[in-house]
Amino acid sequence: MVRLEDVGMVRLNPKGEEVAILAGISFSARPGEITAIVGPSGGGKSTLVRFVNRLDEPTSGRIWLDWEDVSALDPLQLRRRVGMVLQKPFMFEGTVLANLQRPFLYRNAPPPGAGSGEVLGVLELARLSPELLERDARTLSLGQQQRVSLARALITGPQVLLLDEPTSALDRPTSDRLAATLQEICRSQRLTVILVTHDLRLAERVADYLLYLEGGQILEEGKTEDLLIRPKTAELVRFLAEPEE
Amino acid sequence: MAAEKVVTLELVDLALAYGLILIAVGLARMERIGQEKQMLWASARMVLQLIAVGYLLHLVFAIRSPLPVLLMLLVMAGFSLQVMGARVRHRMPDFYRVVGISMFIGCGGVTFFLCSLVISYTPWYDPRYLIPLAGMIIGNSMNGASLAAERLSAEIRERREEIETALCLGATSRQASEMAVRTAFRAALIPTMNTMAATGIVSLPGMMTGQILSGTEPIVAVRYQIAIMCAITGAVAITSFLILLQGYRHYFTVAHQLKESAWKG
C-alpha cells in the first residue's frame, strides 16, 4: 500500500520565482490493484511517481509505504521494495541473464544462475522464454526489452511497481500484450501498481482506479469505469474527447 | 664529453627568424584568409610573453630561494586552472575546488616524487629543475584533467537513462555512474598514451630537443625524457582519477538521486 499525503513540488523559474509543479496531491494505491495517473503531458505525472521510490524528492507532504514514511527509509533499500519501469527500456551491456542479475550485483549479493527459481520465476511472470537468457539484451525487440525491464524490476521481489509510460515506445499490439501481462502480475503477486500514462486506452484496459492530473493537481479520481463514463470536470471531458497520441 | 657551449642567438638572428612569420603572414594575405592581424598580434604576444618569462626566470634563478620558485609554480597552476575553466564547456558543480585539489595532489605528488626520489638533486627547490619539470607536469595534467571533467559531464548527461535505470534497481550513485566515470577516465588518458607511442618516431619531444641543443649528451637527454614521460602519465592519471572520484558525487544527492542540473542545460 502506498499513500500520498498532501504532496507538492515547488521549483524556481528562470526569474527566480517559486512555481508549483504539483500541489496538494493525496491518494492511496492498494495491493492487487492498478492505480493509473492519467493526464496531458507536462502535467507532473512522471515527477509525481518518481517521489515514491525517491528518484526525486517532493518539497512538501509525506509518502507512506505501508506504515513507513519513505523519506525516513534508506533509498537503496526502498528501491528494492519499490520497483520501477521507465518509459524507454534501457538494457545494460551483456545478455538478458546479466541484465536480470544486475540488482544482485548492486548489493554485492551472489547473482542467481540461469536455472534458478528467481530467474525462471520472473521470466514466467514477464512472459519471456528462458531461451532468451543467453541473448544479447540489446538485440531484442523493444517489446521484449520492455519485458526484460519488467522482469528485472520484479526480481528483487518488490511490493510496489511503478510504471512510467511503459508502453509509449511500443506499437499497439505489443503494448496490448504487455498490458495484459501487467494485469496478471498485479493480481497474482498482489502488487501495488502505480501506472503513469497519457494513453487513455491503456488506462481503461488495465486500471482499477484512475486519477486525472492536470496542471499539477488531481482534478478527478475514482473507479476507472465511473471516471471514464461520467467525467465531472470540463478538463477531463476535454481530455477524453481529444486524447493525446 | 664536455658540454659544448650553445650558440647564442643575437637580435639580428631573431629578426631573421621573425622573417618566417612575415612569410606566413604574406601567404595568409595572398590567400585572403583574413587572419593577418591576428597572426601578427599572436606573434607579438609570443615574443613579449617569452621575453617577460625569460627575465622572470633569470630573476628567480638569481635569487636562489624557495619562495619565488614556489610562487611561480603557484601562478602557473593558477593560470592553468583558469585556462581549463574557460575551456571546459559544461563545468561540473564546484569545478574549481574539485580540479584545484586534484591538480594539487596529482601534480604536486608526482613532481615531488620525480624531483626528490627519481632525479634527487639538491637543493630541492633548484629552479633549473623544479620549474621546467613541474611546468611540463602541470601543462599535461591540465589537458588530461579538462578532458576528464568535460567528458564526465557529457557522459552523465548522455547516460541519464542508464544511470536512472541503475538507481531504480538499487545501485548507489557510484555504481550507477560507473560507465560514465570509466569512459571519462579513458578519454583523459588517450592523448598521453598516443604521445608516448609516437615519441621518438613521429616527433622528438621538446624537452629532449632543448637539452640536446644546450649541449647535453643525447643519451642523458633521452633518460630525462623517459623519466618525464613516466611522470606525466602518472600525473595525468592521478589528477584525472581524483577529479572523477570527487566529480561524479556532485551530480548526485546524498540519497542517490541524479540532480536535475546534471542532465539539464
Side-chain angles (χ1 to χ4, degrees), chain A residues 11 50 53-57 75-76 79-80 82 84 86 88 90 92 102-103 105-106 108 152-153, chain B residues 160-162 164-173 175-176 178-179 254-258 260 263-264:
Chain A
R11 276 205 189 124
R50 289 162 63 92
N53 69 345
R54 291 189 66 194
L55 268 192
D56 271 326
E57 219 73 64
L76 302 182
R79 289 172 196 157
R80 276 164 216 151
V82 181
M84 185 168 191
L86 300 167
K88 269 196 243 157
F90 181 85
F92 293 98
R102 277 265 164 176
L105 297 180
Y106 290 146
N108 300 318
R152 197 173 53 188
Chain B
R160 184 188 169 203
E161 279 165 20
E162 172 183 338
E164 293 210 317
T165 302
L167 292 175
C168 285
L169 295 172
T172 59
S173 30
Q175 290 168 326
E178 193 184 9
M179 282 309 289
V254 284
H256 306 282
Q257 296 156 334
L258 183 63
E260 197 178 310
W263 51 268
K264 254 191 182 172

Side-chain angles (χ1 to χ4, degrees), chain B residues 45-125:
Chain B
R45 269 189 68 162
M46 177 267 291
V47 171
L48 285 175
Q49 282 166 197
L50 285 178
I51 289 174
V53 86
Y55 276 107
L56 191 66
L57 284 174
H58 183 76
L59 199 69
V60 171
F61 276 49
I63 297 173
R64 296 197 71 83
S65 143
L67 201 68
V69 178
L70 289 179
L71 205 67
M72 185 143 178
L73 293 184
L74 209 65
V75 171
M76 278 159 67
F79 266 115
S80 69
L81 204 60
Q82 197 206 2
V83 169
M84 277 179 60
R87 194 193 289 172
V88 176
R89 265 174 305 144
H90 295 280
R91 285 205 294 263
M92 63 175 68
D94 225 358
F95 176 85
Y96 287 104
R97 205 175 67 90
V98 170
V99 177
I101 291 175
S102 309
M103 297 241 328
F104 184 77
I105 299 175
C107 298
V110 168
T111 306
F112 173 78
F113 181 84
L114 179 71
C115 294
S116 64
L117 294 174
V118 179
I119 305 178
S120 48
Y121 57 84
T122 46
W124 64 269
Y125 58 84

Side-chain angles (χ1 to χ4, degrees), chain B residues 150-216:
Chain B
E150 172 94 45
R151 204 59 241 155
L152 180 66
S153 150
E155 287 292 324
I156 298 241
R157 250 176 304 126
E158 285 163 21
R159 292 177 184 268
R160 184 188 169 203
E161 279 165 20
E162 172 183 338
I163 291 171
E164 293 210 317
T165 302
L167 292 175
C168 285
L169 295 172
T172 59
S173 30
R174 174 86 179 95
Q175 290 168 326
S177 55
E178 193 184 9
M179 282 309 289
V181 169
R182 201 179 289 169
T183 314
F185 193 41
R186 197 179 297 140
L189 290 179
I190 284 174
T192 317
M193 296 293 130
N194 289 344
T195 312
M196 273 208 286
T199 295
I201 301 174
V202 183
S203 68
L204 286 183
M207 184 184 82
M208 202 174 103
T209 317
Q211 279 190 308
I212 293 174
L213 274 177
S214 63
T216 308

Side-chain angles (χ1 to χ4, degrees), chain A residues 161-197:
Chain A
L161 187 62
L162 309 172
L163 305 159
D164 185 7
E165 306 273 9
T167 59
S168 68
L170 309 179
D171 60 39
R172 187 51 83 187
T174 317
S175 154
D176 284 350
R177 285 197 295 275
L178 187 72
T181 309
L182 287 173
Q183 212 165 19
E184 282 168 30
I185 295 172
C186 173
R187 303 275 187 273
S188 67
Q189 307 299 302
R190 284 198 57 76
L191 272 176
T192 303
V193 178
I194 303 179
L195 163 73
V196 162
T197 183

